[in-house]
Amino acid sequence: MPLLPDRPIRMIGAACGRGAPDPGCAEGPQTLRAAGIVERLERLHSHVSWGGMLDCGAAGLTALEAVAELCPRLAEKTFSAVIAGELPLVLTGDHSCAVGTWSGIARAVRPKGSLGLLWVDAHLDSHTPQTSHSGAIHGMPLAALLGHGELSLTQCGGPGAKLLPQDVCIVGVRSFEAEEVRFLSELGVRVFYMEEIARRGLGPVLGDALELVQADTAAFGVSLDLDAIDPVDAPGVGTPAAYGIRADALTQALRGVGKLSRLAGLEISEYNPVRDPDGRTRKLVMSLIDELFAAEALDAAA
Ligand SMILES: [Mn+2]
């Protein structure tokens, strides 16, 4: 696959935890930045910039209002980065921010075609307010991007669905509700459950997933909810779910993906430093950055 080793990377933070019952993920982006994630990437890549940290701290807003206020600002940031020929790498708080990240990127890609999205997650994130058991917005972003749910989310960055079901797949799933399964199967979204990963191995599954999101699309993105990873390796996430993808397998499978020329954006979500007292999850995120943009991956693929 063609590689673009020198495309500038613009890192963007979205410090929002309002979309989850536990607001700890709001601290995630700033904790990663303070720990040197920008400098870490600069060691591997010659053009890295910091595009700013957005918050959703406005007092007096409901959770939905706060997320709906943040997402268009985030969408504007990711849109501008793609239009400028840069790769947005977004550190989000809870996963509700994904509505902003991908609405902006889809809008920037649209003149050339549709956007594929690989959603790596323990959950399906495909509730609407009508089906949600908890009401938590971080359980709804994928449905919103597919054009279903709260109008204030589906209209982020303009009306209409941002993603087509056939361009999306979800990998790592093991915690979900029947309503989400029904919704996604009616739409025809491919879901790779943990059972399939256990049977076939992560490498082949991720290979299929990357093929699917690039099949009929102009570009693709990867949204990584860190809770996809087994809590043994990544305890510091918003909503841990046992029996996940092992960290070694994931870092290996994602090696060099950050350098693929058709990659339009990357998102790392749901880091919760409050649940990460020994820094295990933070160190894992740093290793993931190393692997995503590994210099040697370029030679191996050439
Ligand atoms: Mn998620």
Side-chain angles (χ1 to χ4, degrees), residues 95 119 121 125 225:
H95 217 174
W119 191 275
D121 206 309
D125 293 359
D225 186 322

Side-chain angles (χ1 to χ4, degrees), residues 207-223:
D208 284 1
L210 284 168
E211 204 171 298
L212 187 153
V213 297
Q214 295 184 79
D216 293 305
T217 59
F220 77 101
V222 180
S223 183

Side-chain angles (χ1 to χ4, degrees), residues 94-96 98 119-125 138-139 141 223-228 269-270:
D94 74 65
H95 217 174
S96 65
W119 191 275
V120 185
D121 206 309
H123 310 91
L124 292 168
D125 293 359
H138 75 156
S223 183
L224 172 60
D225 186 322
L226 292 167
D227 72 23
S269 195
E270 295 266 343

Side-chain angles (χ1 to χ4, degrees), residues 1-5 206-215 220 253 255-263 297-302:
M1 268 179 274
L3 300 160
L4 269 185
L206 213 73
D208 284 1
L210 284 168
E211 204 171 298
L212 187 153
V213 297
Q214 295 184 79
F220 77 101
R255 188 171 175 76
V257 167
K259 293 191 163 180
L260 296 175
S261 62
R262 292 184 63 211
L263 183 73
L298 191 59
D299 308 323

